Amino acid sequence: TKLFAESYFVERNIKWIKRAGVKKVDENKIYFETLDGEYQEQAYDFAMLIPGFAGHGFKAYDKTGQDISSKLFAANGLMKVDADYSQKPFEEWSVNDWPQTYQNPSYSNIFAPGIAFAPPHSISKPMVSKNGTPIFATAPRTGMPSGVMGKVTAENIISWIKTGNPEIKHKASMGKMGAACIVSAGYGMTKGTAATMTVSPVVPDWDKFPDWGRDINTTMGEPGLAGHWLKWAMHYMFLYKAKGKPFWWLIPE
Ligand SMILES: Cc1cc2nc3c(=O)[nH]c(=O)nc-3n(C[C@H](O)[C@H](O)[C@H](O)COP(=O)(O)OP(=O)(O)OC[C@H]3O[C@@H](n4cnc5c(N)ncnc54)[C@H](O)[C@@H]3O)c2cc1C
């Protein structure tokens, strides 16, 4: 992604600042702190700020009116599932920390697949500025893993309803599944472009793949026009699937 992002920026004459966290935005300026602990400003005329990744901030109450929010939601508002939320140093993180069934540990009839579950920690190494401000990317969660998690959750619920047995057989951990993602960077059948990438597994497994954390044979990426065509075709495929038209189930997540 470093290569794609930087080459797309260079081609479009865009300069970038990285390893920085935004503190404040006003009408004309963005105020940010770098990992070196410097406070800097950037004037802007167009900006898109992606907010901190968090849940809705719902409160939950049980039948007796008791607040059960902390049983259902992590501090960031996302739902607690079968992940290992114990606070561990980066060196002890493992793929086994990542959830597989997306079932809430306190309420077995509540599931949170896809974007809704609280990740156990970030995927990339957490960085802290010289002033102690945490500055690092949140765990990215894209469409394909969300689709796969949604599918196994649906299969588990169907089996539970049909058999009456609450056994959760189907599993999908981001530490075991691979995923593909296409990042659009220009529209048009001849001038369009997109970066197409696959990663396997989504969460690096340093025990299984000590060199890179990922299977290097199935982790790859390429920017170009073909990626745009692929994404364009997928828009139609996924809408077809969402409508449940004949043979919809042949289309993968
Ligand atoms: C701008 C943008 C671009 C993206 N681009 C890509 C991309 O190119 N490739 C990729 O792989 N991923 C991409 N993603 C990520 C991808 O869209 C998400 O990972 C994926 O949609 C998550 O799926 P989900 O089913 O978990 O949640 P969602 O798709 O968010 O579905 C949740 C649904 O729940 C509904 N809902 C919410 N609250 C309630 C309620 N109280 N009652 C009933 N319904 C409710 C919402 O309306 C929504 O339809 C992008 C995300 C964004 C925001």
Side-chain angles (χ1 to χ4, degrees):
T1 51
K2 178 178 170 6
L3 202 72
F4 299 150
E6 292 184 356
S7 72
Y8 279 133
F9 284 154
V10 170
E11 280 169 17
R12 288 158 182 76
N13 213 9
I14 295 169
K15 294 184 188 131
W16 63 90
I17 300 165
K18 58 182 187 177
R19 297 160 72 83
V22 172
K23 294 244 161 213
K24 190 176 107 178
V25 180
D26 68 20
E27 271 178 39
N28 312 304
K29 275 188 190 157
I30 296 168
Y31 302 83
F32 63 93
E33 183 184 341
T34 66
L35 275 179
D36 296 330
E38 286 174 28
Y39 295 99
Q40 295 183 10
E41 297 170 9
Q42 175 66 44
Y44 75 93
D45 53 13
F46 178 80
M48 181 175 83
L49 185 69
I50 301 174
F53 199 40
H56 270 289
F58 289 142
K59 287 263 163 229
Y61 301 90
D62 70 8
K63 278 187 210 157
T64 63
Q66 206 190 333
D67 189 334
I68 51 164
S69 310
S70 62
K71 279 187 180 173
L72 280 178
F73 307 117
N76 58 12
L78 295 163
M79 188 167 278
K80 285 184 184 169
V81 293
D82 59 316
D84 181 350
Y85 294 111
S86 56
Q87 297 288 312
K88 299 191 252 188
F90 173 71
E91 292 68 30
E92 289 173 26
W93 288 2
S94 145
V95 282
N96 300 323
D97 302 342
W98 288 80
Q100 304 193 80
T101 65
Y102 308 93
Q103 189 178 35
N104 180 263
S106 309
Y107 298 91
S108 60
N109 59 338
I110 297 184
F111 295 83
I115 209 93
F117 79 87
H121 40 64
S122 67
I123 292 179
S124 45
K125 187 174 178 183
M127 308 284 240
V128 178
S129 81
K130 284 191 179 152
N131 308 315
T133 313
I135 301 175
F136 58 92
T138 187
R141 278 177 294 164
T142 52
M144 188 171 168
S146 300
V148 175
M149 291 171 206
K151 181 179 163 177
V152 299
T153 304
E155 283 172 340
N156 283 327
I157 294 172
I158 291 167
S159 147
W160 187 348
I161 292 172
K162 282 193 169 165
T163 63
N165 177 3
E167 186 197 357
I168 302 293
K169 278 193 296 199
H170 304 275
K171 295 183 176 160
S173 160
M174 279 173 50
K176 300 212 169 79
M177 69 168 101
C181 184
I182 306 180
V183 185
S184 298
Y187 188 73
M189 287 309 272
T190 54
K191 294 200 173 124
T193 180
T196 307
M197 63 194 92
T198 57
V199 285
S200 179
V202 179
V203 174
D205 184 342
W206 295 101
D207 294 327
K208 207 163 166 194
F209 307 105
D211 291 338
W212 305 97
R214 297 203 167 102
D215 178 358
I216 212 66
N217 297 316
T218 51
T219 297
M220 59 190 86
E222 199 162 319
L225 177 61
H228 171 71
W229 288 346
L230 258 176
K231 185 140 193 173
W232 181 81
M234 284 202 300
H235 278 289
Y236 289 97
M237 281 161 56
F238 291 147
L239 284 171
Y240 184 94
K241 180 171 177 163
K243 289 177 187 166
K245 291 198 174 178
F247 301 106
W248 63 269
W249 42 269
L250 286 174
I251 299 172
E253 284 69 43

Short mmCIF file of all heavy atoms in Angstrom, two decimals, residues 56 58 113-116 141-147 180-184 231, ligand 1:
data_model
loop_
_atom_site.label_atom_id
_atom_site.label_comp_id
_atom_site.label_asym_id
_atom_site.label_seq_id
_atom_site.Cartn_x
_atom_site.Cartn_y
_atom_site.Cartn_z
N HIS A 56 -21.61 3.33 17.97
CA HIS A 56 -22.65 4.36 18.03
C HIS A 56 -22.69 5.11 19.36
O HIS A 56 -23.22 6.19 19.44
CB HIS A 56 -24.02 3.69 17.85
CG HIS A 56 -24.45 3.61 16.43
ND1 HIS A 56 -24.83 4.72 15.74
CD2 HIS A 56 -24.56 2.58 15.58
CE1 HIS A 56 -25.16 4.36 14.51
NE2 HIS A 56 -25.00 3.07 14.39
N PHE A 58 -24.29 3.62 21.96
CA PHE A 58 -25.56 3.18 22.58
C PHE A 58 -25.36 2.85 24.05
O PHE A 58 -24.29 2.40 24.45
CB PHE A 58 -26.04 1.86 21.96
CG PHE A 58 -26.54 1.94 20.56
CD1 PHE A 58 -26.25 0.91 19.66
CD2 PHE A 58 -27.31 3.00 20.13
CE1 PHE A 58 -26.71 0.96 18.36
CE2 PHE A 58 -27.78 3.05 18.83
CZ PHE A 58 -27.47 2.03 17.95
N PRO A 113 -20.85 -9.31 13.77
CA PRO A 113 -19.85 -9.51 12.72
C PRO A 113 -19.57 -8.21 11.96
O PRO A 113 -20.28 -7.23 12.17
CB PRO A 113 -20.52 -10.53 11.80
CG PRO A 113 -21.99 -10.28 11.96
CD PRO A 113 -22.19 -9.74 13.36
N GLY A 114 -18.57 -8.25 11.11
CA GLY A 114 -18.30 -7.10 10.24
C GLY A 114 -17.69 -5.94 10.98
O GLY A 114 -16.80 -6.10 11.80
N ILE A 115 -18.21 -4.78 10.69
CA ILE A 115 -17.64 -3.55 11.23
C ILE A 115 -17.97 -3.37 12.71
O ILE A 115 -17.35 -2.59 13.41
CB ILE A 115 -18.18 -2.37 10.37
CG1 ILE A 115 -17.20 -1.22 10.34
CG2 ILE A 115 -19.54 -1.92 10.79
CD1 ILE A 115 -16.29 -1.29 9.17
N ALA A 116 -18.97 -4.13 13.20
CA ALA A 116 -19.56 -3.83 14.52
C ALA A 116 -18.77 -4.37 15.71
O ALA A 116 -18.94 -3.89 16.82
CB ALA A 116 -20.98 -4.42 14.56
N ARG A 141 -11.11 -2.61 8.49
CA ARG A 141 -12.05 -3.72 8.26
C ARG A 141 -12.80 -3.45 6.97
O ARG A 141 -13.57 -2.51 6.87
CB ARG A 141 -12.96 -3.87 9.46
CG ARG A 141 -12.20 -4.68 10.49
CD ARG A 141 -12.90 -4.86 11.76
NE ARG A 141 -13.08 -3.64 12.47
CZ ARG A 141 -13.94 -3.52 13.46
NH1 ARG A 141 -14.69 -4.55 13.80
NH2 ARG A 141 -14.05 -2.40 14.11
N THR A 142 -12.52 -4.30 6.02
CA THR A 142 -13.05 -4.04 4.69
C THR A 142 -14.20 -4.99 4.36
O THR A 142 -14.59 -5.82 5.16
CB THR A 142 -11.90 -4.18 3.66
OG1 THR A 142 -11.27 -5.42 3.86
CG2 THR A 142 -10.90 -3.06 3.80
N GLY A 143 -14.72 -4.82 3.14
CA GLY A 143 -15.94 -5.50 2.76
C GLY A 143 -15.87 -7.01 2.75
O GLY A 143 -16.79 -7.68 3.24
N MET A 144 -14.78 -7.56 2.23
CA MET A 144 -14.74 -9.01 2.07
C MET A 144 -14.74 -9.75 3.42
O MET A 144 -15.57 -10.65 3.63
CB MET A 144 -13.54 -9.42 1.21
CG MET A 144 -13.56 -10.87 0.85
SD MET A 144 -12.27 -11.17 -0.34
CE MET A 144 -12.26 -12.94 -0.32
N PRO A 145 -13.84 -9.38 4.37
CA PRO A 145 -13.93 -10.05 5.68
C PRO A 145 -15.30 -9.84 6.33
O PRO A 145 -15.85 -10.77 6.94
CB PRO A 145 -12.83 -9.38 6.51
CG PRO A 145 -11.89 -8.81 5.52
CD PRO A 145 -12.70 -8.47 4.31
N SER A 146 -15.87 -8.64 6.18
CA SER A 146 -17.20 -8.39 6.78
C SER A 146 -18.23 -9.35 6.18
O SER A 146 -19.07 -9.90 6.90
CB SER A 146 -17.65 -6.95 6.53
OG SER A 146 -16.75 -6.04 7.08
N GLY A 147 -18.14 -9.55 4.86
CA GLY A 147 -19.07 -10.45 4.19
C GLY A 147 -18.91 -11.89 4.67
O GLY A 147 -19.90 -12.59 4.92
N ALA A 180 -9.36 -9.87 -0.37
CA ALA A 180 -8.98 -9.03 -1.50
C ALA A 180 -9.65 -7.68 -1.34
O ALA A 180 -10.71 -7.57 -0.73
CB ALA A 180 -9.44 -9.69 -2.80
N CYS A 181 -9.01 -6.64 -1.86
CA CYS A 181 -9.59 -5.30 -1.75
C CYS A 181 -9.17 -4.50 -2.98
O CYS A 181 -8.04 -4.64 -3.45
CB CYS A 181 -9.07 -4.64 -0.47
SG CYS A 181 -9.80 -3.02 -0.19
N ILE A 182 -10.09 -3.73 -3.51
CA ILE A 182 -9.75 -2.89 -4.66
C ILE A 182 -9.99 -1.44 -4.28
O ILE A 182 -11.09 -1.06 -3.88
CB ILE A 182 -10.61 -3.25 -5.89
CG1 ILE A 182 -10.49 -4.75 -6.20
CG2 ILE A 182 -10.19 -2.42 -7.09
CD1 ILE A 182 -11.31 -5.20 -7.40
N VAL A 183 -8.95 -0.65 -4.36
CA VAL A 183 -9.05 0.77 -3.99
C VAL A 183 -9.12 1.60 -5.26
O VAL A 183 -8.15 1.68 -6.01
CB VAL A 183 -7.80 1.20 -3.16
CG1 VAL A 183 -7.96 2.62 -2.67
CG2 VAL A 183 -7.56 0.23 -2.02
N SER A 184 -10.27 2.20 -5.50
CA SER A 184 -10.45 3.00 -6.72
C SER A 184 -9.61 4.28 -6.65
O SER A 184 -9.50 4.89 -5.60
CB SER A 184 -11.91 3.42 -6.87
OG SER A 184 -12.71 2.28 -7.01
N LYS A 231 -13.40 -3.73 -10.33
CA LYS A 231 -14.27 -3.10 -9.33
C LYS A 231 -15.63 -2.76 -9.96
O LYS A 231 -16.68 -2.94 -9.34
CB LYS A 231 -13.61 -1.84 -8.76
CG LYS A 231 -14.43 -1.23 -7.65
CD LYS A 231 -13.57 -0.74 -6.53
CE LYS A 231 -14.42 -0.42 -5.32
NZ LYS A 231 -13.65 -0.09 -4.16
C1 LIG B 1 -16.25 5.46 2.14
C2 LIG B 1 -15.94 3.99 2.33
C3 LIG B 1 -15.31 3.30 1.32
C4 LIG B 1 -15.05 1.95 1.47
N1 LIG B 1 -14.43 1.30 0.44
C5 LIG B 1 -14.21 -0.02 0.53
C6 LIG B 1 -13.63 -0.73 -0.57
O1 LIG B 1 -13.33 -0.17 -1.61
N2 LIG B 1 -13.42 -2.07 -0.43
C7 LIG B 1 -13.75 -2.72 0.73
O2 LIG B 1 -13.54 -3.93 0.81
N3 LIG B 1 -14.29 -2.09 1.79
C8 LIG B 1 -14.54 -0.75 1.71
N4 LIG B 1 -15.09 -0.08 2.77
C9 LIG B 1 -15.38 -0.82 4.00
C10 LIG B 1 -16.68 -1.61 3.87
O3 LIG B 1 -17.67 -0.79 3.30
C11 LIG B 1 -17.12 -2.08 5.26
O4 LIG B 1 -16.08 -2.83 5.83
C12 LIG B 1 -18.35 -2.97 5.18
O5 LIG B 1 -19.42 -2.32 4.52
C13 LIG B 1 -18.80 -3.38 6.58
O6 LIG B 1 -19.92 -4.23 6.45
P1 LIG B 1 -20.93 -4.43 7.61
O7 LIG B 1 -22.02 -5.29 7.06
O8 LIG B 1 -20.21 -4.90 8.83
O9 LIG B 1 -21.49 -2.98 7.99
P2 LIG B 1 -22.34 -1.96 7.09
O10 LIG B 1 -22.12 -2.19 5.63
O11 LIG B 1 -22.05 -0.60 7.67
O12 LIG B 1 -23.84 -2.39 7.40
C14 LIG B 1 -24.47 -2.09 8.63
C15 LIG B 1 -25.92 -1.86 8.33
O13 LIG B 1 -26.65 -1.73 9.56
C16 LIG B 1 -27.60 -0.73 9.43
N5 LIG B 1 -27.92 -0.27 10.79
C17 LIG B 1 -27.18 0.51 11.61
N6 LIG B 1 -27.83 0.72 12.77
C18 LIG B 1 -28.99 0.05 12.68
C19 LIG B 1 -30.08 -0.13 13.58
N7 LIG B 1 -30.12 0.40 14.80
N8 LIG B 1 -31.11 -0.89 13.15
C20 LIG B 1 -31.10 -1.47 11.93
N9 LIG B 1 -30.09 -1.33 11.03
C21 LIG B 1 -29.06 -0.59 11.42
C22 LIG B 1 -26.91 0.32 8.56
O14 LIG B 1 -27.87 1.15 7.94
C23 LIG B 1 -26.16 -0.56 7.57
O15 LIG B 1 -26.93 -0.86 6.42
C24 LIG B 1 -15.39 1.28 2.66
C25 LIG B 1 -16.02 1.98 3.69
C26 LIG B 1 -16.30 3.31 3.52
C27 LIG B 1 -17.02 4.06 4.64
#
